[in-house]
Amino acid sequence: MWMYVVKRVMAFIPTVFIVVTVIFFLTRVVPGDPAWVLVGHQLATEEKVAEVRRELGLDKPILTQYLIWLPRAIQGDFGSSIFFKQPVIQVISERFPVTLSLAGLSLLVTIVVGVPLGIISAWKHNTKVDHFSTIFSVLGISMPSFWLGFLLVMVFSVNFGWFPTSGYRPLSLGFVPWISHLVLPVISLSMAEMALLTRMTRSSMLEVLGKEYIVTARAKGLSEGMVVYKHAFKNALVTVVTVVGLIFALSLGGSVLIENVFAIPGLGRLMVSAAIRRDYPIVEGGMIYFTGIALFVNLLVDISYTLINPKLTYEK
Amino acid sequence: MRSKYIELRRFLRNRLFLLGLLILVPIALVAIFAPFIAPFDPLDLDVKNKFLPMNSGHLFGTDEFGRDVFSRVVHGSTISLRVGGLTALFTSILGIVIGLASGYYKSMDAVIMRVMDGLMIFPGLLLGIMLMAAMGPHEMNVVLAMTILYTPRIVRVVRSSVLEIKTMEYIDAARVLGVHDLRILLRHILPNCLAPLIVQVTFGFAWAILVESGLSFLGLGTPPPAPSWGNIIGDGREFIRTAPWLMIFPGVMISAAVLGLNLIGDGLRDILDPKLRHVSSKVESSVV
Amino acid sequence: MNRKSQVLCLLLGLLSLVFLSCEGGKDGRLREKTESTGPVRGGTLNVALWVSFPTLDWQSTVGHPLPQVMLQVYEGLFGLGKDFDPEPELTESWAVSKDKMTWTFGLRKGVLFHNGKEMTAEDVKASLERWKRVSPRGVTLKELREIEIVSKDTVRFYFDKPVGRFLKLILAADESKAVIMPKEIAEASPQGGALNEIVGTGPYQFDEYRTEEYLRLKRFEKYVPRTDPPNYQTGKKVAYLDDIIFWIVPEAFTRVAGLEREEYDVVTRLPDSEFERLRSAEGVEPLVTVPALLDYLIFNHKKGDFADINMRRAVQSLVNVEEVDRSMVASKEFWTLNPSIYPPESAYNTDEASEYYNQGNIEKGKEFLKKAGYRGEKVKFLVLREEPEIYRASITVAEQMKAAGIKVDLMFYDLATWVAKRADPYEMDMFITKGYWLDPSLFHAEFGGRFPGWFTSPETEEVFTELASETDFEKRYQLGKKLQRLFYEKVAFVNVGYHYGLKAKRTSVKDPEGNISRGNLTLHNVWLDR
């Protein structure tokens, strides 16, 4: 198995390299200059800005900057943030728990709601439950998450006063503050994911439930619960795992909008503000970080296939 | 005549497809005839009448410049459908060309799929933000960024169909007979890829509308004062407490358009290719 | 069709839920009001800021929100008083030589830094030298030749040219204020933007910063206050609060909602459309911020169409200021028509040359366009997205220009791109920005040929030179009037309106001197009544 993992990782390296190189040049070629933002925008003189550019090494040709950056990046050193004056790794790892809380919790909610709802609606095919879950999933996918976020704040924070309107409290300040700040963001983020997972679970369950061996199992007099759980669900699990993996990667990206709506200081907001301020080291480091996570999740999904169904081999 | 009629009936009998059409066709009509439907110029300022609530003169009220929100939402449908439609068009063209090449020529496959995988692993919206921050807000740049983001998904779909069809005997036969590659690709392979392609492009259309609104919301999409739905929400959020209509109507419109397209996509999949049950192709729906 | 009707029902239900929730008023969470008995020590003040910190080195930037926080931490030789006049802060006495080329400052004795060290003339010299080198404002003080340490508590400034009241003003100005920090720290970080430690002499000291999340200050227990009565940024300061947390909350409406939910005690930068509602809401108090901000349209005087004065005159004639004002802010309380380049709160405010102001005359604009020979070239109008008022003013001015037949290309940028583009004479024709100048001398930084727009003229330079050494107010007032007329006649910029900012606080926040509603936040002498 380890051979397989190593092989997969190796296979991703050229891809990551291509994209990272493109990102490097793209961010630096376009107009916009971190030196200006750093100096402040009201009275900054051009001499002052030129001085800051020299300090940051931005006066060198882009190719030279790239050749300096690349060997360091390979060793895992992405330099220091232009604005925070801290190593990129440190800035990112400070934010990571925040985004992980948001993405992880919404994944949890997604699974807890989505899988049972999908199973039930496949099982009770064409009943009211099924119709409800279909409507729920189609609507959930269609609503823009940021818009839903605003509506939730309007209703539940402003009018009912149940939850805080925005912000984030680390778990170290206590469970209640942590969770109460996350309830609305998690709902906004997971709505589409729940919808997607419900849909996928339902359709793959339906497919399996139509198969001959299920009919046989039923004919053998197995209880309905046993049929659904043991045979149907286990076979549908491959789909569920695939979707869950995809959803996690998606929610890392989707958190960008939600973090902006709820003022959550996570990776997504960091990346947007870094892109806007042209904090190149953060943008580059962050993109590689995200790629790494996506890659890791991909791997987990692949490995879990073989756990679910040992007949599958590592060779593709 | 008769067979066509049956075809049509097959489409119309699919409830998802029909419901999708019922939602989308009115929006499309509004988008096409926007200048005739909108009672006001969407850019006309009337600062003395700002923040008027909903009334008979201004169905959806007015915004912070006294502009008529109904007219803006109506014109916004033109922008959203144009951006989504162009993205769908460009991704199909690019997706077909790259997908056919990648699926048919083994030599190109490795390189192309590497690049496509590279684009796929990034969280889509984040890459979109980077691209837009780099290229600057412009409607065509939005289309360009989204084309870059969505093409890999189309390529995958086309490629997997090509790989399936390539093994068919008649393709081998055609090749042995010395039929030109281009002719094989266009006459024999492409038509067989169309069903999954159309389904995927429909989801792409919906996806593009959602992403455009997200980018505009962040200030990185279609530039103001153009009344794109994302812009109206983005500009209106400052006034959500005092003028909630600024946010509600464009949000409902986005949801409706995306809902319509998703339903049509689901319906098309059922009609065109009942076998299309691979997770990989289904997951590519429109979640941002 | 069953499914369809269900979908419709759900949609309708969702919509009505939204409407109901919008209509539904506040739940009456009334709180018992107790008569206050005087200042109370203790408590945490939660402040919501609108934007995160570009750096914590206040000296290196004029960017926000640094002044909002650092005014509590640092002190300078001078601070602004109630009338926005510079008043002594860390200085005890000062004297000017007859030729106005030597200034001597006596420092207060026994003032402690947050690290426990006593402040001396050495620290003042090192801090001001760093400020002069790294501060965008400091670099404009070119005339300062040398700072001499006369004794432990006396410093002397030597200038190449006579310098008047302007010196005190530039030392006291809020943005990138010339503050005093320990010599060791000032010398350890010679580069701007790379301050190692935040140590000042103010009533609150730096405690913790989590990037883009919050910044916390705590009371400086050994603060040595002045003995004269409180006077806005200076005078006697008392730190009643245990600590102050500045939260970074970018969405305006979440700042408001947070204030109402008692998550925040003081919130900054609110849309003025919230004013009426906040005024009638329980437990909160909206605060109109003075002085008024001048929104002004800057042209590219170096390159392109607007180097031609007739083009600039065309825009000057066609701008309808009232319409711009109304589009920027919602209620009348927040805008004012005033032709002066000095805000209504400034002693220099004058209606000199007001015939050029707020003409709203499209026809006259067209005539000037004809004179300039304008042939429909596209005008590059740069717009900053992050400032809602500027953003709206730009859209309105652009519509007015279009009405006169000018082809306007509105280009929306984020802060980073905006500042880079506006500095490029080939990429910029005009942009709107805002600010306030309480004294005519302060205009020199922006309108002395260096700042984007690159306006300068021999006549205005002459006025600036006279102003630098003139100390008599009446004479300065006349020079200020002259400067205003010159600016209007040469169309250095177009005054497109004045607007007031909006902050709000909870009524439990007691601010006897009304400091919170002035300019940037000043939180000493503020206490909590809970």
Side-chain angles (χ1 to χ4, degrees):
Chain A
M1 188 172 108
W2 289 111
M3 273 309 292
Y4 170 73
V5 171
V6 170
K7 250 173 143 180
R8 285 291 310 264
V9 172
M10 298 297 279
F12 270 112
I13 287 174
T15 343
V16 174
F17 176 80
I18 291 169
V19 179
V20 159
T21 304
V22 169
I23 292 287
F24 185 94
F25 283 95
L26 209 57
T27 50
R28 292 184 190 228
V29 162
V30 293
D33 190 333
W36 279 100
V37 189
L38 205 56
V39 173
H41 63 286
Q42 292 174 38
L43 290 173
T45 56
E46 276 168 72
E47 308 94 73
K48 188 90 210 80
V49 170
E51 186 191 317
V52 174
R53 287 179 61 95
R54 253 194 321 280
E55 281 166 32
L56 295 173
L58 295 173
D59 54 338
K60 296 190 182 80
I62 292 177
L63 196 64
T64 319
Q65 292 180 38
Y66 179 69
L67 292 176
I68 295 171
W69 176 80
L70 190 66
R72 289 189 193 157
I74 290 169
Q75 293 163 33
D77 172 14
F78 301 115
S80 282
S81 159
I82 293 174
F83 290 90
F84 304 125
K85 303 279 172 196
Q86 288 169 341
V88 170
I89 298 286
Q90 191 190 331
V91 176
I92 288 178
S93 46
E94 261 173 31
R95 304 304 186 84
F96 187 61
V98 182
T99 299
L100 190 69
S101 300
L102 180 61
L105 214 56
S106 43
L107 188 68
L108 190 74
V109 172
T110 302
I111 294 171
V112 167
V113 175
V115 172
L117 199 60
I119 292 174
I120 293 170
S121 62
W123 186 17
K124 307 276 181 196
H125 187 43
N126 266 337
T127 62
K128 273 199 177 137
V129 184
D130 185 26
H131 291 318
F132 167 76
S133 93
T134 308
I135 293 166
F136 164 79
S137 57
V138 177
L139 268 183
I141 290 181
S142 309
M143 268 189 284
S145 60
F146 61 92
W147 184 67
L148 180 66
F150 278 121
L151 295 189
L152 290 175
V153 173
M154 288 280 298
V155 177
F156 295 105
S157 299
V158 177
N159 281 283
F160 296 138
W162 291 349
F163 303 105
T165 46
S166 66
Y168 173 79
R169 302 286 179 274
L171 195 50
S172 56
L173 291 179
F175 180 75
V176 174
W178 177 74
I179 196 83
S180 67
H181 279 85
L182 279 173
V183 171
L184 296 183
V186 162
I187 295 176
S188 337
L189 184 56
S190 58
M191 188 57 87
E193 298 166 3
M194 278 192 279
L196 189 63
L197 188 61
T198 308
R199 241 161 90 124
M200 293 301 121
T201 311
R202 176 180 174 271
S203 58
S204 61
M205 283 288 288
L206 272 181
E207 201 176 328
V208 176
L209 281 173
K211 289 260 166 70
E212 260 173 44
Y213 64 94
I214 297 288
V215 179
T216 320
R218 277 191 178 135
K220 277 200 291 189
L222 278 178
S223 78
E224 193 63 18
M226 270 312 261
V227 173
V228 170
Y229 171 70
K230 227 175 158 174
H231 294 275
F233 180 61
K234 271 200 146 171
N235 280 289
L237 204 57
V238 177
T239 314
V240 173
V241 166
T242 311
V243 177
V244 165
L246 242 154
I247 281 174
F248 187 70
L250 278 176
S251 69
L252 284 176
S255 62
V256 176
L257 287 167
I258 296 303
E259 284 174 5
N260 265 278
V261 171
F262 289 94
I264 297 170
L267 269 181
R269 222 175 106 205
L270 175 75
M271 293 293 283
V272 174
S273 55
I276 284 173
R277 294 168 182 159
R278 308 280 184 269
D279 196 343
Y280 307 129
I282 295 272
V283 171
E284 290 142 8
M287 287 309 262
I288 293 170
Y289 207 82
F290 270 111
T291 316
I293 293 168
L295 172 59
F296 179 69
V297 171
N298 258 331
L299 259 177
L300 280 188
V301 167
D302 283 356
I303 292 169
S304 60
Y305 285 154
T306 55
L307 295 179
I308 296 165
N309 187 352
K311 274 179 271 176
L312 287 176
T313 57
Y314 289 111
E315 302 307 322
K316 255 200 170 167
Chain B
M1 259 326 264
R2 192 170 168 75
S3 72
K4 267 189 188 158
Y5 176 69
I6 291 170
E7 268 304 273
L8 193 67
R9 275 211 11 205
R10 210 179 84 196
F11 275 88
L12 291 184
R13 220 186 285 138
N14 185 296
R15 291 201 299 187
L16 291 175
F17 182 78
L18 197 63
L19 182 55
L21 273 191
L22 280 177
I23 295 173
L24 194 71
V25 169
I27 297 178
L29 288 176
V30 166
I32 294 165
F33 298 106
F36 305 103
I37 295 167
F40 295 90
D41 183 323
L43 301 180
D44 251 5
L45 309 182
D46 180 10
V47 288
K48 290 207 170 122
N49 288 314
K50 61 198 285 182
F51 297 131
L52 289 183
M54 290 147 274
N55 62 48
S56 54
H58 300 279
L59 274 180
F60 292 177
T62 61
D63 70 359
E64 69 272 27
F65 292 97
R67 298 177 297 202
D68 180 48
V69 178
F70 178 71
S71 304
R72 287 180 68 73
V73 169
V74 165
H75 280 272
S77 57
T78 318
I79 296 174
S80 281
L81 293 196
R82 184 167 61 218
V83 169
L86 284 177
T87 307
L89 180 72
F90 293 156
T91 47
S92 327
I93 296 171
L94 270 177
I96 288 172
V97 172
I98 300 174
L100 285 181
S102 169
Y104 194 73
Y105 299 106
K106 228 177 165 184
S107 52
M108 291 189 196
D109 194 37
V111 177
I112 290 176
M113 287 324 282
R114 264 299 92 74
V115 177
M116 293 297 133
D117 282 347
L119 285 171
M120 293 269 290
I121 33 174
F122 282 115
L125 187 65
L126 204 58
L127 195 57
I129 288 165
M130 298 300 142
L131 288 171
M132 289 310 295
M135 296 188 294
H138 191 277
E139 197 181 302
M140 277 322 285
N141 288 350
V142 180
V143 173
L144 189 64
M146 290 195 298
T147 305
I148 294 172
L149 293 180
Y150 206 76
T151 300
R153 305 195 196 185
I154 306 278
V155 170
R156 273 199 170 186
V157 170
V158 174
R159 175 176 169 268
S160 63
S161 308
V162 174
L163 287 179
E164 207 174 304
I165 299 156
K166 211 168 73 172
T167 55
M168 300 275 179
E169 271 173 27
Y170 70 97
I171 302 288
D172 277 337
R175 219 182 288 169
V176 173
L177 288 173
V179 181
H180 193 268
D181 274 359
L182 201 63
R183 198 181 155 82
I184 297 177
L185 278 170
L186 293 181
R187 288 293 291 272
H188 300 290
I189 295 182
L190 183 61
N192 285 301
C193 303
L194 282 181
L197 176 79
I198 289 170
V199 173
Q200 193 60 38
V201 167
T202 312
F203 287 135
F205 199 144
W207 175 89
I209 289 177
L210 268 184
V211 174
E212 191 276 335
S213 73
L215 287 173
S216 293
F217 169 76
L218 291 174
L220 295 166
T222 314
S228 97
W229 290 335
N231 273 344
I232 306 178
I233 296 181
D235 288 351
R237 69 181 141 164
E238 195 185 334
F239 311 108
I240 184 170
R241 299 294 302 281
T242 39
W245 55 87
L246 292 181
M247 281 197 63
I248 288 169
F249 294 111
V252 169
M253 288 301 279
I254 296 171
S255 308
V258 175
L259 179 71
L261 282 162
N262 275 338
L263 289 175
I264 291 177
D266 282 345
L268 280 175
R269 181 165 55 214
D270 292 348
I271 300 162
L272 294 175
D273 196 351
K275 288 177 302 182
L276 249 181
R277 289 281 179 205
H278 306 294
V279 175
S280 60
S281 62
K282 275 191 299 186
V283 171
E284 324 284 356
S285 64
S286 58
V287 174
V288 178
Chain C
M1 288 309 100
N2 192 21
R3 193 176 295 176
K4 182 191 137 203
S5 57
Q6 274 172 344
V7 172
L8 276 176
C9 277
L10 218 107
L11 262 175
L12 284 176
L14 180 88
L15 262 180
S16 55
L17 179 76
V18 169
F19 284 124
L20 279 176
S21 62
C22 299
E23 295 299 314
K26 284 166 57 79
D27 53 346
R29 272 181 297 156
L30 288 173
R31 281 180 30 179
E32 284 289 314
K33 272 255 168 159
T34 47
E35 260 322 297
S36 51
T37 48
V40 181
R41 224 174 114 97
T44 299
L45 187 78
N46 291 289
V47 180
L49 298 175
W50 71 101
V51 71
S52 58
F53 300 88
T55 163
L56 290 186
D57 186 353
W58 192 17
Q59 303 292 271
S60 71
T61 177
V62 290
H64 274 279
L66 279 134
Q68 317 281 346
V69 174
M70 296 303 174
L71 278 171
Q72 337 303 328
V73 177
Y74 287 114
E75 294 176 318
L77 292 181
F78 289 89
L80 292 179
K82 284 196 167 79
D83 306 318
F84 297 100
D85 269 335
E87 304 285 347
E89 195 170 26
L90 288 173
T91 23
E92 198 67 68
S93 60
W94 66 94
V96 195
S97 69
K98 268 235 168 77
D99 60 1
K100 290 174 189 156
M101 285 166 60
T102 312
W103 285 65
T104 310
F105 296 93
L107 306 172
R108 287 174 56 209
K109 298 182 185 71
V111 174
L112 295 180
F113 283 114
H114 300 149
N115 61 8
K117 205 192 104 169
E118 195 186 334
M119 183 198 71
T120 68
E122 277 195 337
D123 303 309
V124 174
K125 178 177 157 73
S127 302
L128 289 179
E129 279 173 351
R130 179 171 194 271
W131 172 78
K132 186 176 181 293
R133 197 173 56 247
V134 306
S135 161
R137 220 178 259 281
V139 294
T140 65
L141 195 61
K142 289 211 166 75
E143 300 80 10
L144 177 60
R145 176 160 35 94
E146 200 200 330
I147 301 173
E148 182 197 12
I149 301 170
V150 180
S151 70
K152 190 178 159 234
D153 46 24
T154 313
V155 287
R156 191 166 289 151
F157 289 23
Y158 294 99
F159 292 92
D160 289 334
K161 281 194 239 161
V163 170
R165 202 181 97 97
F166 170 59
L167 177 65
K168 286 196 281 174
L169 266 170
I170 197 171
L171 290 177
D174 270 10
E175 283 154 354
S176 191
K177 176 170 165 168
V179 297
I180 308 305
M181 60 181 79
K183 179 183 177 222
E184 299 72 40
I185 295 174
E187 286 176 352
S189 7
Q191 306 286 12
L195 203 56
N196 296 332
E197 267 183 283
I198 296 160
V199 174
T201 58
Y204 291 94
Q205 66 182 90
F206 175 79
D207 186 28
E208 187 194 3
Y209 175 48
R210 286 182 62 92
T211 49
E212 292 188 44
E213 204 170 338
Y214 61 81
L215 189 150
R216 183 161 59 213
L217 305 180
K218 63 180 182 200
R219 183 193 296 121
F220 175 42
E221 302 287 353
K222 292 184 196 150
Y223 180 70
V224 187
R226 293 180 69 91
T227 48
D228 43 344
N231 188 2
Y232 184 32
Q233 290 179 2
T234 177
K236 187 184 176 195
K237 302 182 192 175
V238 185
Y240 290 111
L241 307 159
D242 293 335
D243 40 22
I244 308 175
I245 306 180
F246 294 90
W247 298 94
I248 293 149
V249 190
E251 291 292 337
F253 99 95
T254 50
R255 290 198 293 276
V256 182
L259 179 78
E260 291 177 79
R261 286 195 77 249
E262 302 179 36
E263 288 164 40
Y264 309 119
D265 303 303
V266 175
V267 294
T268 56
R269 286 282 172 108
L270 298 181
D272 71 291
S273 51
E274 295 286 341
F275 182 65
E276 282 305 318
R277 219 176 41 77
L278 288 175
R279 201 155 58 166
S280 55
E282 195 68 34
V284 296
E285 187 187 338
L287 302 165
V288 182
T289 303
V290 287
L293 290 159
L294 171 66
D295 304 276
Y296 58 109
L297 175 66
I298 287 189
F299 300 105
N300 182 349
H301 292 261
K302 220 188 237 173
K303 289 264 153 18
D305 293 338
F306 291 91
D308 179 350
I309 190 163
N310 283 319
M311 284 300 286
R312 303 202 296 273
R313 282 192 175 139
V315 177
Q316 188 183 47
S317 325
L318 66 85
V319 166
N320 176 343
V321 181
E322 189 178 333
E323 192 181 46
V324 181
D325 273 337
R326 279 179 190 271
S327 70
M328 272 195 294
V329 288
S331 39
K332 181 70 187 90
E333 287 91 337
F334 288 88
W335 58 271
T336 174
L337 289 176
N338 196 312
S340 186
I341 57 175
Y342 316 104
E345 293 76 12
S346 164
Y348 293 93
N349 188 277
T350 165
D351 57 9
E352 179 76 16
S354 61
E355 64 272 20
Y356 293 107
Y357 170 75
N358 189 21
Q359 301 175 59
N361 191 338
I362 302 277
E363 289 314 311
K364 196 171 160 196
K366 283 182 181 164
E367 273 171 40
F368 276 119
L369 286 179
K370 213 177 274 166
K371 253 191 220 166
Y374 175 71
R375 286 190 309 274
E377 297 90 347
K378 281 224 166 184
V379 169
K380 294 192 190 93
F381 194 147
L382 308 187
V383 185
L384 175 61
R385 276 207 80 126
E386 277 107 324
E387 297 280 355
E389 286 85 17
I390 291 181
Y391 168 76
R392 289 195 285 274
S394 305
I395 288 181
T396 310
V397 171
E399 288 298 324
Q400 294 174 357
M401 286 167 63
K402 282 180 197 162
I406 302 177
K407 290 223 169 68
V408 187
D409 215 354
L410 280 172
M411 305 167 97
F412 296 86
Y413 293 110
D414 53 82
L415 189 58
T417 321
W418 186 75
V419 283
K421 289 258 183 188
R422 75 175 191 182
D424 183 344
Y426 296 93
E427 288 290 323
M428 180 276 278
D429 284 318
M430 55 174 64
F431 63 89
I432 292 180
T433 183
K434 66 183 174 186
Y436 57 84
W437 293 266
L438 297 161
D439 184 283
S441 285
L442 295 176
F443 274 102
H444 200 200
E446 281 88 350
F447 298 96
R450 286 189 296 263
F451 188 75
W454 308 281
F455 171 81
T456 182
S457 75
E459 293 93 326
T460 49
E461 284 302 309
E462 202 176 296
V463 175
F464 282 127
T465 314
E466 279 181 62
L467 277 166
S469 55
E470 187 54 66
T471 44
D472 178 62
F473 176 75
E474 198 40 50
K475 284 184 187 151
R476 288 183 69 82
Y477 182 75
Q478 292 307 325
L479 286 168
K481 269 172 91 169
K482 194 173 167 191
L483 187 69
Q484 177 162 327
R485 177 161 286 280
L486 284 170
F487 276 170
Y488 268 108
E489 281 172 356
K490 295 179 180 297
V491 205
F493 58 88
V494 175
N495 171 344
V496 298
Y498 271 104
H499 77 272
Y500 291 95
L502 177 64
K503 291 178 208 149
K505 67 177 186 65
R506 294 206 60 84
T507 44
S508 56
V509 177
K510 301 296 174 193
D511 175 27
E513 277 115 49
N515 284 346
I516 295 178
S517 56
R518 288 195 184 90
N520 297 313
L521 288 177
T522 310
L523 298 169
H524 54 256
N525 303 351
V526 166
W527 51 282
L528 281 167
D529 179 21
R530 286 208 256 256

